[in-house]
């Protein structure tokens, strides 16, 4: 699953760079709205967890189509006592890989956008539970219904792309650029969860003239 995430990001980066060169050579052509992003944050579900993932998005008019990969790890905590001293311990953990297809609506105004999406996903989870000194493992595969709400900011007009953390401008003004925002995400499934995080993206986030 991690290899799939790296492959999506790598292929989308190549596509972005190739399309950028073609657009720079064709004047007065409106760019498509297509962008990739990485996100990470916190979530609650089968315990308290961390979430990290990646997406590839395409927008036609206000229709938004998304391919999403997410990895979630959750833990529940217990404790043992040693005399008068309590010692916390992890009782169960759940690691889940999620691949989803989502459809939604996205609205753009100047240099920011708002979107909401829902869809279907396949999930593969590995659970671990401690029974005294024994560690029990169980793997499961099941369907889910992923959802997300996004708000993000990006440049209002074409500008030169800046490399090395935005310090060095490169080439001519282009519609290709970065974005930053916040994401409310989750999945309704056998092990439902919901959380909030931040996202960071590259691509064409609106129609630029």
């Amino acid at each position: 699953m991690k290899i799939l995430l790296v492959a999506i990001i790598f292929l989308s980066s190549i596509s972005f760079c190739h399309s950028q060169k073609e657009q720079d050579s064709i004047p007065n052509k409106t760019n498509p709205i297509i962008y990739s992003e990485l996100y990470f944050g916190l979530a609650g579900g089968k315990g308290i967890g961390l979430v990290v993932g990646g997406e590839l998005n395409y927008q036609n008019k206000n229709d938004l189509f998304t391919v999403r990969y997410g990895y979630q790890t959750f833990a529940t905590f217990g404790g043992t006592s040693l005399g008068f001293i309590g010692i916390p311990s992890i009782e169960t953990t759940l690691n889940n890989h999620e691949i989803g297809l989502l459809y939604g609506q996205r609205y753009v105004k100047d240099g920011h956008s708002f979107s909401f999406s829902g869809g279907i996903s396949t999930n593969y989870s590995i659970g671990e539970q401690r029974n005294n000194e024994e560690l029990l493992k169980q793997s499961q595969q099941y369907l889910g219904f992923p959802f997300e709400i996004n708000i993000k900011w990006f440049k209002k007009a074409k500008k030169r792309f800046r490399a090395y953390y935005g310090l060095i401008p490169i080439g001519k003004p282009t519609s290709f650029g970065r974005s930053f925002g916040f994401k409310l995400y989750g999945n309704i499934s056998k092990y439902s969860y919901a959380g909030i995080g931040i996202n960071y993206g590259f691509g064409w986030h609106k129609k630029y003239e």
Side-chain angles (χ1 to χ4, degrees):
M1 297 297 179
K2 294 181 180 179
I3 296 176
L4 177 62
L5 174 59
V6 173
I8 290 174
I9 298 171
F10 178 72
L11 291 175
S12 62
S13 299
I14 293 177
S15 176
F16 287 162
C17 293
H18 178 69
S19 299
Q20 183 182 2
K21 291 180 180 179
E22 289 183 349
Q23 281 191 280
D24 289 341
S25 63
I26 302 176
N28 301 324
K29 184 177 180 180
T30 304
N31 61 275
I33 300 178
I34 181 171
Y35 56 91
S36 63
E37 65 182 35
L38 296 175
Y39 65 91
F40 62 92
L42 301 174
K46 185 68 174 179
I48 301 173
L50 298 175
V51 176
V52 62
E55 293 185 352
L56 184 61
N57 299 272
Y58 171 74
Q59 181 177 346
N60 180 27
K61 297 182 179 179
N62 289 331
D63 298 319
L64 180 65
F65 304 90
T66 302
V67 179
R68 182 174 99 179
Y69 168 79
Y71 173 76
Q72 306 90 35
T73 179
F74 299 96
T76 59
F77 299 89
T80 58
S81 60
L82 183 61
F84 295 100
I85 302 175
I87 302 175
S89 62
I90 296 177
E91 291 189 342
T92 63
T93 60
L94 179 70
N95 301 307
N96 182 60
H97 299 269
E98 166 196 304
I99 300 177
L101 298 175
L102 294 85
Y103 166 79
Q105 296 286 295
R106 182 170 182 262
Y107 303 94
V108 178
K109 184 176 181 180
D110 297 328
H112 66 274
S113 67
F114 173 79
S115 67
F116 54 91
S117 302
I120 190 169
S121 68
T122 177
N123 301 270
Y124 177 74
S125 66
I126 301 175
E128 298 182 355
Q129 182 174 4
R130 290 193 174 276
N131 185 6
N132 295 326
E133 296 300 323
E134 186 179 4
L135 183 62
L136 304 177
K137 292 187 177 182
Q138 183 181 15
S139 62
Q140 302 178 67
Q141 190 162 8
Y142 50 92
L143 294 178
F145 300 93
F147 62 88
E148 62 180 59
I149 299 174
N150 293 277
I151 182 170
K152 61 180 58 187
W153 291 266
F154 40 84
K155 62 187 181 182
K156 295 181 180 180
K158 287 184 178 181
K159 294 181 181 180
R160 298 172 68 186
F161 185 81
R162 291 179 175 270
Y164 297 101
Y165 305 99
L167 298 177
I168 302 177
I170 298 176
K172 299 178 181 180
T174 177
S175 53
F176 182 86
R178 299 182 176 90
S179 69
F180 174 82
F182 298 95
K183 181 188 296 289
L184 173 66
Y185 46 74
N187 195 304
I188 301 172
S189 64
K190 183 174 183 178
Y191 298 110
S192 298
Y193 73 90
I196 189 169
I198 61 175
N199 59 56
Y200 188 76
F202 286 93
W204 296 274
H205 303 283
K206 59 175 285 188
K207 295 282 188 179
Y208 293 92
E209 299 298 332

